[in-house]
């Protein structure tokens, strides 16, 4: 997945343009910038890559989720349905707005189980956030239908699925709003950065203003701009956007390498009867950023994970015991360990986490191993890795 593995002259050239003009900010200073508008150029490139009318760059993927929800009017006391398997950013971004994350089970797609989503809807539900984890997607048709029936927003966190698609549409462009991260370990990186994409003009204008203190961005005198509503600062800098601009041009190359490496590993593992793979919904194509597979039970998965580590098979994760990606280890959320007081609404809204169990999620995450697909591997290295992985799995079952 990580684009940082392949930095080169293109990245250096874009960054030097910015350093030469000295304008590190994306807005204003028109006379000094020698025609360099890296953030705007990157937004245009992303519109093409994600086939989306509007793109708003922001400072991170976490910011992208908060800005997307805020742009669509989600806030205090609203419930947002999200999966148990994701990155901590998902609930952080929701809670930042005073909204309540409602965690529900996943299925063998490794993202939202549509039935669990349907069962979690209450009069307070405003949005469903599908997290396209590890390069693939949820049952988008079913989730879209639920949103249509209940008049809910569909938000896609596609941070880990840059370049994947569903029925020909890029992941992120299917819901009302899509969110991307360009942090250091994502498929394309800015160092830090993120984007909100949407075809909705109003959501876009809201995102544009909200991510820059509510500035209306009318005219070319920043000091004279008005503030139609309150905002924050979630701006990206020109330095970060410059790196992203070089990286987005290399996305097709990155995706080809991912697919080649993924396919070698998958073909090798397919020969083991006991290994099964996550479900890819019909019409879906992965980004090939990860290879996810299931082993027969939790104990075997733990053993394989340990053996991988002991034998130099790096970048493979058994998320069941992981602090960052799965509900089991999120005690700071369950116990509401906040530096500052949290609203009564959110406190009450999260009480369910004290008692709720997620057996279906445990069933899938307990048996799942997720291997990052690196861009820097040579074909021979991937083949050697595949042989070793097969040997370790066969010795563990
Ligand atoms: C990386 C990631 C984010 C957050 O992105 P940052 O840019 O690191 O804030 C959000 N959701 C998912 C699924 C991610 O993988």
């Amino acid at each position: 997945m990580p684009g940082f593995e392949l930095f080169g002259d293109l990245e250096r050239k874009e960054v030097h343009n910015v350093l030469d003009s000295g304008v590190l900010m994306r807005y204003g200073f028109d006379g000094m910038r020698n025609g360099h508008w890296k953030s705007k150029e990157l937004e245009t490139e992303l519109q093409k890559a994600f086939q989306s009318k509007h793109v708003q760059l922001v400072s991170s993927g976490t910011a992208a989720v908060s800005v997307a929800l805020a742009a669509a009017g989600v806030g205090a006391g609203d419930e947002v349905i999200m999966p148990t398997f994701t990155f901590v950013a998902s609930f952080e971004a929701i809670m930042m707005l005073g909204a309540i994350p409602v965690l529900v089970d996943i299925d063998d797609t490794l993202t939202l189980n549509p039935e669990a989503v349907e069962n979690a809807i209450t009069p307070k539900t405003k949005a469903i956030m599908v997290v396209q984890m590890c390069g693939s997607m949820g049952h988008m048709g079913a989730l879209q239908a639920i949103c249509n029936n209940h008049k809910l927003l569909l938000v896609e966190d596609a941070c880990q699925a840059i370049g994947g698609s569903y029925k020909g549409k890029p992941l992120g462009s299917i819901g009302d709003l899509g969110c991307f991260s360009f942090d250091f370990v994502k498929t394309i990186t800015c160092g830090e950065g993120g984007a909100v994409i949407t075809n909705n003009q109003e959501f876009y204008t809201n995102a544009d203003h909200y991510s820059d203190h509510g500035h209306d961005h009318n005219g070319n005198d920043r000091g004279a701009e008005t503030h139609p509503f309150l905002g924050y600062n979630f701006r990206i800098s020109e330095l970060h956007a410059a790196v992203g601009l070089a990286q987005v041009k290399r996305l097709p190359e990155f995706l080809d390498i991912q697919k080649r490496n993924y396919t070698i590993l998958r073909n090798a593992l397919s020969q083991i009867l006991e290994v099964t793979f996550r479900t890819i919904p019909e019409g879906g194509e992965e980004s090939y950023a990860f290879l996810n597979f299931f082993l027969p039970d939790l104990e075997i998965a733990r053993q394989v994970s340990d053996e991988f580590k002991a034998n130099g098979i790096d970048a493979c994760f058994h998320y069941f015991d992981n602090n960052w990606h799965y509900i089991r280890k999120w005690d700071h959320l369950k116990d509401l360990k906040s530096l500052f007081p949290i609203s009564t609404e959110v406190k009450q809204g999260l009480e369910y986490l004290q008692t709720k169990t997620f057996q279906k999620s445990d069933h899938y995450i307990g048996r799942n191993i997720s291997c990052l697909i690196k861009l820097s591997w040579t074909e021979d290295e991937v083949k050697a890795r595949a042989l070793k992985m097969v040997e370790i799995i066969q010795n563990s079952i």
Side-chain angles (χ1 to χ4, degrees), residues 9 14 43 48 62 98 112 127 135 150 165 187 204 239 241 255 261 267 271 297 299 309 319 341 356 362 364 395-396:
D9 290 344
E14 297 291 350
E43 285 170 348
K48 284 186 248 164
T62 312
L112 289 175
H150 294 269
S165 63
T187 303
Y204 163 68
L239 283 171
L255 294 173
N261 291 348
N267 287 345
Q271 290 157 17
D297 60 43
E299 289 322 308
K309 274 183 203 143
Y319 291 117
K356 193 165 165 80
D362 286 346
Y364 292 112
N395 286 339
S396 303

Side-chain angles (χ1 to χ4, degrees), residues 15-36:
V15 172
H16 279 147
N17 286 165
V18 177
L19 290 174
D20 289 344
S21 78
V23 179
L24 310 187
M25 187 181 183
R26 70 160 301 177
Y27 297 114
F29 303 92
D30 300 20
M32 288 167 59
R33 34 193 338 133
N34 296 336
H36 294 305

Side-chain angles (χ1 to χ4, degrees), residues 22 26 48 53 63 97 108 127 147 161 163 187 218 225 240 249 252 294 298 319 327 332 335 357 377 392:
R26 70 160 301 177
K48 284 186 248 164
K53 276 193 198 149
L97 301 168
D108 60 4
C147 287
T187 303
N218 278 332
E225 288 176 13
H240 292 92
K249 289 175 183 163
F294 298 113
L298 173 62
Y319 291 117
I327 174 80
H332 65 314
D335 299 338
T357 56
W377 291 332
I392 290 171

